[in-house]
Amino acid sequence: MMTPAIIETMRSELAAALPRWNLSERATLTFLSHSENTTFLAEDPLSGQRLVLRVQRIGYHAPAEIASELSWITALIADDVIATPRPLADRDGLLLCSVRLNGSMRQVVAFEHMSGHEPDQSGSLPSWFVKLGMLTAQLHRHSRSWTRPPAFQRKTWDFDAMLGTRPLWGDWRAALGLGDSERQLLQRVADSLADRISTYGQQSERFGLVHADLRLANLLVDGERLGIIDFDDCGFSWFFYDFAAAVSFMEHESVVADLQQAWLQGYRTVAPVSKDDEAMLPVFVMLRRMLLTAWISSHSDTETARRLGTDYTHGTVAMGERFLRGA
């Protein structure tokens, strides 16, 4: 469990290591967030440099997987595909650094700080989803054409990894506040999702390297620019699952229909979308909703889980009922 005391110990010890990234002794370190990983903002008043330090969650990604994430980010920046923070090496030239924090060796990655704020959930959100759809299509185009390094390793986000036999974010059946009758209903939803997804298939034109977490918290608006951050969950999944991730935590809201049309409008300026692809978007939204319901249960030490709690589970059941009626 990540407690405020543990976070403060981590912050203090990581602050002592800041010279490793060529920051002065006057540099400060501030806690930003804890979700899958724990992030801090480093600011050096002498150089004006600002870095975001990401402390990797223990036991989630292997070092080779993190290095692979950074290789894709580096390629995306080099090929001018999207605006995203650049990974920064330490004074020894290492992008992935081992630092002893709170009694354990932890993997730490430094990124350039990117200005901006999360898109406002207001009437302007569909216009940002037009841009997000365009950027997502550019990401997918790069993913399809990029020659990955021979040692490239990332997780595969297929049905089994989400809701099946090897759930990476926990078992949805253990969701907070889930009763027996509700569990039975969501089992019918999971079975329906499995059937639809199996029929759709994992051919290379439908399944490949994706960001997999393009939710609002990972988007940074600055003027007309829409930046994309946090490739920590990037991996192999359905390309159009990226839309479902984009509407995370608001899947049940009526605005999602407008956001889907806006996202498709932007995507189609770069690449075609077939009728079969479009028909799968609500399926992937339901899949993502159940995956996040499991995540909340297995990540109870996060602010997001504490804030959403059992209400999110009950909303998932209501969504599941509607999904089955329309399936």
Side-chain angles (χ1 to χ4, degrees):
M1 293 292 291
M2 187 67 69
T3 66
I6 291 174
I7 289 174
E8 174 53 27
T9 298
M10 186 183 298
R11 187 206 64 78
S12 177
E13 292 175 342
L14 187 56
L18 290 180
R20 181 169 182 167
W21 287 277
N22 298 310
L23 299 178
S24 77
E25 61 182 15
R26 292 182 57 189
T28 60
L29 192 67
T30 307
F31 170 70
L32 286 178
S33 67
H34 170 68
S35 183
E36 201 65 57
N37 307 304
T38 310
T39 57
F40 299 88
L41 174 65
E43 299 179 276
D44 190 339
L46 294 184
S47 66
Q49 192 172 16
R50 307 177 83 196
L51 308 180
V52 172
L53 297 176
R54 186 180 76 188
V55 181
Q56 300 288 149
R57 184 183 183 95
I58 295 175
Y60 186 45
H61 289 309
E65 292 178 313
I66 303 169
S68 297
E69 170 206 354
L70 301 180
S71 70
W72 191 27
I73 294 172
T74 302
L76 288 167
I77 293 171
D79 295 336
D80 197 23
V81 178
I82 58 169
T84 192
R86 185 183 306 276
L88 297 174
D90 72 352
R91 62 192 175 196
D92 296 324
L94 299 175
L95 290 176
L96 184 58
C97 305
S98 295
V99 182
R100 182 169 291 278
L101 301 173
N102 202 43
S104 301
M105 295 304 295
R106 304 292 296 271
Q107 299 294 323
V108 179
V109 181
F111 293 92
E112 291 177 333
H113 176 266
M114 175 174 275
S115 63
H117 57 85
E118 182 178 318
D120 182 24
Q121 292 193 43
S122 65
S124 65
L125 193 54
S127 64
W128 286 114
F129 264 67
V130 174
K131 183 163 288 189
L132 179 60
M134 179 190 69
L135 293 175
T136 306
Q138 291 173 185
L139 276 171
H140 294 170
R141 183 170 61 189
H142 187 272
S143 167
R144 289 181 168 103
S145 63
W146 180 50
T147 301
R148 296 188 292 271
F152 191 90
Q153 297 179 34
R154 291 301 295 176
K155 287 178 170 54
T156 297
W157 292 100
D158 57 12
F159 183 84
D160 278 346
M162 295 182 184
L163 307 184
T165 58
R166 49 181 181 86
L168 294 174
W169 281 354
D171 189 346
W172 63 265
R173 297 166 188 83
L176 301 176
L178 193 62
D180 288 342
S181 62
E182 296 168 321
R183 191 173 291 107
Q184 291 170 8
L185 183 143
L186 289 185
Q187 183 62 63
R188 295 198 298 273
V189 173
D191 293 342
S192 177
L193 290 171
D195 288 343
R196 293 284 298 275
I197 286 169
S198 176
T199 300
Y200 184 66
Q202 294 181 198
Q203 303 94 317
S204 60
E205 68 270 17
R206 294 178 171 176
F207 196 96
L209 181 61
V210 299
H211 183 284
D213 198 21
L214 289 170
R215 58 195 175 100
L216 297 188
N218 290 332
L219 307 176
L220 288 176
V221 171
D222 189 349
E224 295 300 310
R225 188 214 70 203
L226 184 64
I228 293 175
I229 64 173
D230 195 0
F231 280 71
D232 184 61
D233 289 317
C234 74
F236 298 97
S237 193
W238 297 275
F239 287 109
F240 288 91
Y241 172 73
D242 265 341
F243 169 76
V247 296
S248 293
F249 303 116
M250 55 179 172
E251 308 91 348
H252 58 288
E253 297 180 14
S254 58
V255 71
V256 169
D258 292 336
L259 297 180
Q260 177 176 312
Q261 291 309 307
W263 188 89
L264 286 169
Q265 177 187 335
Y267 197 101
R268 285 182 166 122
T269 64
V270 177
V273 180
S274 72
K275 290 182 179 179
D276 287 343
D277 296 332
E278 185 171 351
M280 285 298 292
L281 293 180
V283 176
F284 291 136
V285 169
M286 190 70 236
L287 176 70
R288 174 73 172 187
R289 176 75 185 212
M290 289 189 65
L291 175 64
L292 289 177
T293 305
W295 185 92
I296 287 171
S297 178
S298 63
H299 291 69
S300 58
D301 61 335
T302 65
E303 188 278 330
T304 299
R306 290 192 293 268
R307 174 170 50 85
L308 296 175
T310 57
D311 287 345
Y312 194 77
T313 301
H314 298 154
T316 303
V317 172
M319 273 190 66
E321 290 177 328
R322 294 193 296 272
F323 179 80
L324 290 175
R325 287 198 299 268

